[in-house]
Amino acid sequence: MEMEAASQSSSSQVTAQHAPPSLGVAVVGTTLADAATPPPPPPVADAWQRAWRALVPQWNQVRGSLKRLPDVPILRVNQIDAARLDVEMTAMLREQLNKVFSLAQPGLLLRYELELNALLEFLVWQFSVWVDRPTPGNALMNLRYRDERAFASLLAAGNVRTGLEGPGLTKSQKLWYCLAMVGGRYSWGRLQLISAFHRWGDQERSSWACRAWRLLQRAESVYKIACFVNLLFFLRSGRYPSIVERLLRARLVYQRPQMDRAVSFEYMNRQLVWHEFSELLLLVLPLLNMMSIRSILMFPFSNDQSSAASLPEDTCPVCEAYPITTPFMAIPCGHLYCYFCLRTRTLADANFQCRRCNTNVVALKRFQEQVSLENSQKGEGL
């Protein structure tokens, strides 16, 4: 018994030596801390709602930064075709206006051509852009104008679903659009006419007219360069086909997402067929001898040969002019013709035959009437 008690005491000493010295201290410290700190109060009933309301702005900001709406591509050909159709519509209206004043004084409308064009463009603008409707070309291409600044605010707020939302142009944008597209074109055209009529470019270099002319030329060059740069940006991004639209932030978007272009290619096909046919005519007609064809077709219905043979010698057998205008002889037969009649016939037909004797005409010679000595003496005696 004493031996077992000694062994148990020795094993307990060995275990106490190998045990970590901080275990007991940690247990005691934890117990004291738990006893010193009071229990936390219960949460408020709407605590989770308050936490959610505090995190909503941050969540919307993160969601807006992560959610990027894909840009809806607007076909570039639609935008270019719309502008072209607007120009054609104005030309049609101008043609109808010219027909109305066809019985007026000649040249009356030509004098006020710029004013009439500005009036027609103003009417198109008033009944389309000003009343929040698409222009005729935009309507055919299923397009409308949108204020891109308002769309950017909608996109930042997350109120965009399809990418085609957004209000139309504001009143200030509409007015600036009219001043630039209608008033700008009219003012520039009238200024060019005035400078060309008064010859500002031919004045002295130190005069104000010459300086104004050089300024106009530089302004035109700068505008053309800006148009070219804008065209490059438009071909790359598909936005703002004109400088005015880019400055006003007026973008063309689809009016109805599910509508196709309302354009018929029948007119284009007719134009292509007629163009090819006209090219064929321009190629073939110079190779044809129209005088020979005309003579062959009209030979059964004409009596030129018999009538020409019965005409007097001093009368042209072609135009029947008496006396003959600038008489020329047909060689070798020697019959007289007007120079124009004989020259045109021989140039048109290398095998032209004389109208009087049916002899092939190989050349022509100026006819000089010989006056005899006796006739001249008689004339002097008289």
Side-chain angles (χ1 to χ4, degrees):
M1 295 295 291
E2 295 177 357
M3 302 254 331
E4 292 178 358
S7 62
Q8 289 179 0
S9 62
S10 61
S11 61
S12 61
Q13 292 177 0
V14 172
T15 305
Q17 291 177 359
H18 290 282
S22 62
L23 181 59
V25 179
V27 173
V28 175
T30 303
T31 306
L32 294 176
D34 293 340
T37 57
V44 189
D46 59 345
W48 65 273
Q49 296 181 356
R50 295 181 180 180
W52 170 254
R53 291 171 185 172
L55 293 175
V56 161
Q58 300 178 4
W59 169 250
N60 290 335
Q61 183 178 3
V62 172
R63 186 178 61 176
S65 61
L66 295 178
K67 181 182 177 182
R68 294 185 178 275
L69 186 71
D71 189 13
V72 179
I74 309 299
L75 293 179
R76 296 166 179 81
V77 65
N78 283 26
Q79 303 180 51
I80 297 176
D81 288 346
R84 184 61 184 174
L85 288 173
D86 288 336
V87 174
E88 293 295 335
M89 181 63 67
T90 306
M92 291 175 59
L93 294 176
R94 184 169 58 251
E95 183 179 357
Q96 296 298 326
L97 190 63
N98 291 333
K99 289 183 179 179
V100 171
F101 292 94
S102 59
L103 301 179
Q105 181 181 359
L108 179 62
L109 295 182
L110 186 61
R111 233 181 306 171
Y112 304 101
E113 183 178 3
L114 293 176
E115 285 77 7
L116 291 177
N117 292 339
L119 177 61
L120 294 176
E121 292 177 356
F122 175 78
L123 292 177
V124 171
W125 169 84
Q126 184 180 6
F127 292 104
S128 59
V129 179
W130 179 248
V131 294
D132 291 329
R133 292 182 179 178
T135 61
N138 293 340
L140 290 175
M141 294 292 106
N142 187 27
L143 298 173
R144 70 177 182 91
Y145 279 114
R146 181 182 71 184
D147 186 6
E148 200 67 10
R149 294 172 296 184
F151 175 75
S153 61
L154 291 177
L155 183 60
N159 298 329
V160 177
R161 298 181 62 184
T162 63
L164 299 178
E165 295 90 345
L169 303 181
T170 61
K171 289 187 177 181
S172 60
Q173 287 178 321
K174 296 174 184 178
L175 292 176
W176 281 111
Y177 183 90
C178 179
L179 290 176
M181 302 298 291
V182 180
R185 291 176 181 175
Y186 169 73
S187 302
W188 182 258
R190 178 57 65 184
L191 190 60
Q192 283 187 332
L193 286 179
I194 293 175
S195 61
F197 180 77
H198 293 283
R199 297 182 178 180
W200 288 359
D202 298 336
Q203 303 293 333
E204 297 181 359
R205 297 183 61 87
S206 59
S207 61
W208 68 268
C210 187
R211 294 177 182 176
W213 174 262
R214 291 198 300 269
L215 183 61
L216 289 177
Q217 297 299 319
R218 293 176 182 175
E220 186 176 4
S221 301
V222 171
Y223 178 74
K224 290 181 178 179
I225 294 174
C227 289
F228 178 72
V229 174
N230 181 77
L231 177 62
L232 295 180
F233 281 104
F234 170 71
L235 294 178
R236 184 179 181 275
S237 61
R239 298 184 178 186
Y240 311 117
S242 65
I243 299 179
V244 176
E245 296 173 356
R246 184 174 294 276
L247 294 177
L248 296 178
R249 299 290 301 276
R251 187 188 176 189
L252 288 171
V253 295
Y254 291 126
Q255 189 174 9
R256 288 178 289 275
Q258 304 300 329
M259 181 178 177
D260 297 332
R261 293 191 303 168
V263 175
S264 176
F265 292 95
E266 183 179 358
Y267 175 75
M268 185 180 298
N269 294 335
R270 289 201 304 267
Q271 289 294 106
L272 290 175
V273 171
W274 173 247
H275 178 72
E276 296 299 329
F277 182 68
S278 60
E279 290 289 337
L280 178 63
L281 290 179
L282 292 176
L283 177 65
V284 173
L285 287 180
L287 304 178
L288 300 179
N289 192 341
M290 301 304 298
M291 299 297 297
S292 301
I293 296 176
R294 180 182 177 184
S295 61
I296 293 173
L297 295 177
M298 298 300 296
F299 181 76
F301 309 99
S302 63
N303 298 323
D304 292 345
Q305 300 292 335
S306 58
S307 61
S310 61
L311 291 175
E313 291 293 333
D314 53 355
T315 303
C316 178
V318 176
C319 64
E320 299 182 2
Y322 176 81
I324 298 177
T325 305
T326 315
F328 267 70
M329 291 189 304
I331 297 176
C333 61
H335 292 119
L336 299 181
Y337 289 83
C338 294
Y339 170 75
F340 180 78
C341 298
L342 184 60
R343 185 63 175 173
T344 53
R345 266 62 180 180
T346 53
L347 287 176
D349 188 4
N351 299 322
F352 176 72
Q353 295 179 353
C354 179
R355 291 292 184 87
R356 295 182 182 274
C357 59
N358 295 332
T359 304
N360 290 334
V361 178
V362 297
L364 61 157
K365 181 181 178 182
R366 179 67 180 269
F367 174 73
Q368 295 180 355
E369 186 177 1
Q370 297 180 358
V371 181
S372 60
L373 182 59
E374 294 179 357
N375 293 335
S376 62
Q377 290 177 357
K378 291 180 181 180
E380 290 177 358
L382 292 176

